[in-house]
Amino acid sequence: MIVVEVNGYKIEPGANLYGANLEEANLREARLTGVNLTDANLYSANLARANLSGATTDEVTVTWPDGFDPVAAGVVDRQGGWSSDST
């Protein structure tokens, strides 16, 4: 497994990225499966082809890049407001 460090945060599957400032980070093709993104700032981050399956957050506190669809990416809302499993 490849572990990448961005802005002092280890980017790897299952990482706790609570409150991480990843603004403008290049996370292209990153393996972010199962990570905690609560309170994370991903504004203008490059998430092209990143794997966010099973990543968790709550929809209120995370800042996504413009046009990014967390539901389509497989992110799960721990508060139950939305998830990739919602119908």
Side-chain angles (χ1 to χ4, degrees):
M1 169 180 22
I2 297 172
V3 177
V4 178
E5 191 166 316
V6 177
N7 296 344
Y9 298 97
K10 288 185 180 180
I11 308 299
E12 61 185 336
N16 183 3
L17 300 175
Y18 180 92
N21 182 8
L22 300 171
E23 184 174 349
E24 298 183 358
N26 183 6
L27 300 172
R28 181 182 179 88
E29 298 182 4
R31 292 182 56 208
L32 300 170
T33 54
V35 300
N36 177 6
L37 293 171
T38 302
D39 287 338
N41 178 6
L42 294 163
Y43 182 76
S44 294
N46 180 356
L47 294 172
R49 297 197 310 237
N51 183 347
L52 287 117
S53 179
T56 60
T57 189
D58 60 66
E59 69 176 311
V60 179
T61 62
V62 68
T63 304
W64 299 106
D66 289 340
F68 182 76
D69 183 352
V71 174
V75 178
V76 177
D77 174 18
R78 291 187 293 181
Q79 294 181 345
W82 52 265
S83 77
S84 58
D85 297 327
S86 294
T87 54

